[in-house]
Amino acid sequence: MDNNTENLFAKMCDKQEEEAFKYADKLAEIGGDEILNKLIELVKSDDIECVHLAARALANIDNNQSALDTIMEAIHDNRNRHQNGALVQALEGFDLSLKFVDIFRIYLFGNFKSSLLAKEYLDYVEFDVTPRVIKKVEKHWKHFINNSKNDEGFEIKKAEVEEILSEIKAMFEE
C-alpha cells in the first residue's frame, strides 16, 4: 500500500479529525482489493468510530460483496449492539437478496435505529426466500416471543411480523 493510501487510513481513524468521513469516502472512491481488505479488517476492530467509517467506505466501494458477512458479524456482535445503526445503514450499499434472515434478526433484536432500517429493507429489498429461510425466520420469531415483554411495542412488532410471514408464505402457496 502506498504512503498516500496509508495516510488516508490514518486520517480516517484519527480521533482528532473532524471530517474523517471524507477520508472514508476517498478510500471508497480509490477502491481496489488492497483497500477493500484493509477496510474489512478495520470493521473487525474494537474502535467503533473506525468500524463505522470503514463500513461507510465499504458500502460505497465497488465490488464490495465480499465484505457483507464481516459487516453482518459486526452488527450482530454484542459489543456493538447499542451502537450499530451506522453499520445497518451501510447495508444499503450491498446486495442483501440472500440476507433475509439476518435482516429479520436485526429487525427483531436491534436497537431503535437498526430495527427501523431493517424494517425498511424488509419492505423494499427483493429477497431470495426459500422454505428453509421461512423456517429460520419462524425460529427467530419464536425466540423473540419467548424473550420479550408483552407490551405495546411487542404488539406492534407482532402485527408487522405476522404480516411479513403471511406474505412470504403466500408466495409458496401460489
Side-chain angles (χ1 to χ4, degrees), residues 48-117:
I48 194 65
E49 290 175 29
C50 199
V51 169
H52 287 163
L53 289 164
R56 175 189 174 113
L58 286 167
N60 294 310
I61 200 167
D62 289 337
N63 302 315
N64 63 358
Q65 206 60 26
S66 63
L68 180 56
D69 286 339
T70 303
I71 291 180
M72 283 296 185
E73 288 170 21
I75 289 168
H76 294 306
D77 188 330
N78 281 333
R79 295 178 302 169
N80 303 327
R81 186 170 184 207
H82 299 293
Q83 49 196 1
N84 64 7
L87 293 169
V88 177
Q89 188 170 359
L91 293 176
E92 69 190 25
F94 293 88
D95 173 6
L96 299 175
S97 62
L98 298 175
K99 296 296 183 184
F100 186 84
V101 175
D102 280 304
I103 301 299
F104 187 77
R105 280 180 59 204
I106 295 166
Y107 169 64
L108 289 179
F109 301 108
N111 61 34
F112 182 77
K113 180 178 180 180
S114 298
S115 184
L116 209 60
L117 289 166

Side-chain angles (χ1 to χ4, degrees), residues 20-35:
F21 68 92
K22 287 183 178 180
Y23 298 102
D25 294 347
K26 182 68 178 159
L27 286 164
E29 199 177 291
I30 295 169
D33 288 343
E34 198 172 21
I35 289 175

Side-chain angles (χ1 to χ4, degrees), residues 153-171:
F154 172 82
E155 291 302 321
I156 293 169
K157 197 161 271 195
K158 180 180 176 190
E160 291 174 342
V161 168
E162 286 174 352
E163 181 181 345
I164 291 168
L165 286 173
S166 73
E167 286 175 6
I168 61 175
K169 285 178 179 178
M171 291 184 331

Side-chain angles (χ1 to χ4, degrees), residues 113-172:
K113 180 178 180 180
S114 298
S115 184
L116 209 60
L117 289 166
K119 178 66 169 97
E120 194 159 311
Y121 297 141
L122 289 171
D123 288 344
Y124 297 105
V125 170
E126 248 186 71
F127 292 99
D128 292 336
V129 178
T130 64
R132 185 169 182 238
V133 166
I134 295 171
K135 281 187 182 0
K136 287 181 178 182
V137 165
E138 288 175 326
K139 179 182 149 204
H140 289 297
W141 175 233
K142 285 178 185 166
H143 178 75
F144 181 82
I145 290 171
N146 293 330
N147 294 291
S148 295
K149 290 182 235 158
N150 203 345
D151 59 8
E152 184 180 342
F154 172 82
E155 291 302 321
I156 293 169
K157 197 161 271 195
K158 180 180 176 190
E160 291 174 342
V161 168
E162 286 174 352
E163 181 181 345
I164 291 168
L165 286 173
S166 73
E167 286 175 6
I168 61 175
K169 285 178 179 178
M171 291 184 331
F172 291 96

